[in-house]
Amino acid sequence: KRSKKWLTLSIPIDEGISYTLGALAFEGNHLFTDEELKKSVFLKSGKTLDKVGLGYLIKNIEGRYGQKGYIYATATPIFDKHADTKICNVSLSITEDELYYVNRIEFSGNSKTRDYVLRREMRVYEQEIFNYALYQRGLFRLKQTGLFEIKEDPAIAKVPNTNTVNIAVKGNEANKNELLFGGGYGGVNGFFVSGSFRTYNFLGMGTTLSLNADVGKYQKLYSVNYSDPWLFGKRIGGAVSVYNQKLKYLQFDKTATGGTMAVSFPIGDFP
């Protein structure tokens, strides 16, 4: 039996000095004033300088520039340390870079889904300012449809010698079809069979179509349902349903044909 050998690992740690945040200033900013940028600051002077919190602050400021189309703006911290007083002044050096526009948005992997079904969910559009916050929100909306699975971050590429970018979105189409069969026996209806077919991407248009049938000795029910989350190309949901029903009772028969219509409106950005 082989004996175990143990190894002791010692990791030296130099904690350094715990600094208190002194002054926080900005330089290189032209799009936003110092007062406007200070609205994003949650770090307080006189408190311990939180490096993680400073990282969130930098992302927040870069995000504000991204909303204006300055998607490559950066904020670099410059530290002015005073070991004797344990105070560190921080200056955020901002490189605003250029204002960028969207040149092209291209989708790949959608063999059935029509291009406009995916494109309409994006909150940024070609030849317009590239608002990075709206772009991220659009990607989330696109994922919410369940029609297109995005497994990797879209590629954003600069167009040479211009202040525009191309966005390439790759993904896979989800299987959005359902086929169900069933049957049984009821004390009133006797033996019956039922079946339904539903597609959530009818003809690649992002609409839902369902066909349903329940057939028994005393009852027959057929229905067709159709819904469109973008009625007339607007973010208005519309649905229509028609049915035909036949019932046989001991003393009389009943036949009914009808339908329903509904319109829905989204609240905010998401349905």
Side-chain angles (χ1 to χ4, degrees):
K1 188 176 181 180
R2 301 178 65 178
S3 60
K4 295 181 179 179
K5 295 183 179 181
W6 297 91
L7 176 66
T8 301
L9 182 63
S10 178
I11 302 176
I13 298 176
D14 182 7
E15 294 183 344
I17 300 174
S18 177
Y19 283 93
T20 298
L21 177 62
L24 179 63
F26 304 94
E27 60 181 59
N29 51 302
H30 303 287
L31 181 64
F32 297 106
T33 64
D34 288 0
E35 288 70 24
E36 289 174 324
L37 291 178
K38 285 180 180 179
K39 293 179 180 179
S40 301
V41 177
F42 53 87
L43 301 177
K44 295 183 179 180
S45 180
K47 299 292 184 179
T48 301
L49 177 57
D50 182 359
K51 192 173 183 180
V52 175
L54 181 61
Y56 284 122
L57 173 60
I58 291 173
K59 287 184 178 180
N60 190 308
I61 292 175
E62 292 176 348
R64 292 188 63 179
Y65 273 93
Q67 291 178 3
K68 298 294 185 180
Y70 293 79
I71 60 174
Y72 294 109
T74 59
T76 304
I78 300 174
F79 300 100
D80 179 22
K81 302 177 182 178
H82 300 273
D84 54 340
T85 59
K86 298 182 180 181
I87 293 176
C88 180
N89 299 319
V90 180
S91 176
L92 292 180
S93 177
I94 297 174
T95 303
E96 294 183 341
D97 202 67
E98 291 184 280
L99 172 64
Y100 278 84
Y101 293 80
V102 179
N103 180 54
R104 283 283 298 161
I105 302 176
E106 297 181 348
F107 296 91
S108 60
N110 54 317
S111 58
K112 297 179 181 179
T113 306
R114 304 188 188 192
D115 192 73
Y116 74 86
V117 174
L118 307 178
R119 191 177 297 273
R120 69 191 181 188
E121 298 297 340
M122 302 294 289
R123 293 296 309 277
V124 293
Y125 306 98
E126 295 175 353
Q127 311 310 317
E128 294 187 2
I129 291 175
F130 186 10
N131 185 322
Y132 195 77
L134 291 182
Y135 158 74
Q136 289 181 312
R137 199 175 302 170
L139 285 179
F140 184 76
R141 273 178 34 174
L142 180 57
K143 294 176 182 178
Q144 270 197 324
T145 64
L147 302 176
F148 198 61
E149 297 178 353
I150 303 174
K151 296 184 178 180
E152 59 185 52
D153 291 336
I156 301 175
K158 293 182 181 180
V159 178
N161 303 319
T162 69
N163 61 330
T164 63
V165 295
N166 292 329
I167 304 173
V169 185
K170 296 181 180 180
N172 299 312
E173 287 181 318
N175 183 10
K176 301 298 290 182
N177 299 324
E178 294 178 356
L179 184 61
L180 302 174
F181 287 100
Y185 177 82
V188 176
N189 297 327
F191 288 101
F192 67 92
V193 294
S194 63
S196 66
F197 170 76
R198 176 175 295 183
T199 175
Y200 294 91
N201 193 13
F202 180 57
L203 298 179
M205 299 187 298
T207 58
T208 300
L209 173 69
S210 65
L211 309 173
N212 307 279
D214 291 291
V215 180
K217 183 177 180 180
Y218 302 107
Q219 173 179 272
K220 292 181 175 62
L221 174 62
Y222 307 95
S223 65
V224 179
N225 307 283
Y226 181 80
S227 63
D228 187 350
W230 283 77
L231 194 62
F232 307 121
K234 305 294 183 180
R235 288 198 68 228
I236 302 173
V240 60
S241 176
V242 295
Y243 67 89
N244 179 268
Q245 184 183 44
K246 295 181 180 180
L247 294 173
K248 292 184 178 181
Y249 293 97
L250 295 177
Q251 298 178 348
F252 64 93
D253 296 343
K254 177 184 177 182
T255 300
T257 301
T260 59
M261 297 181 65
V263 177
S264 61
F265 298 89
I267 298 177
D269 251 350
F270 304 103

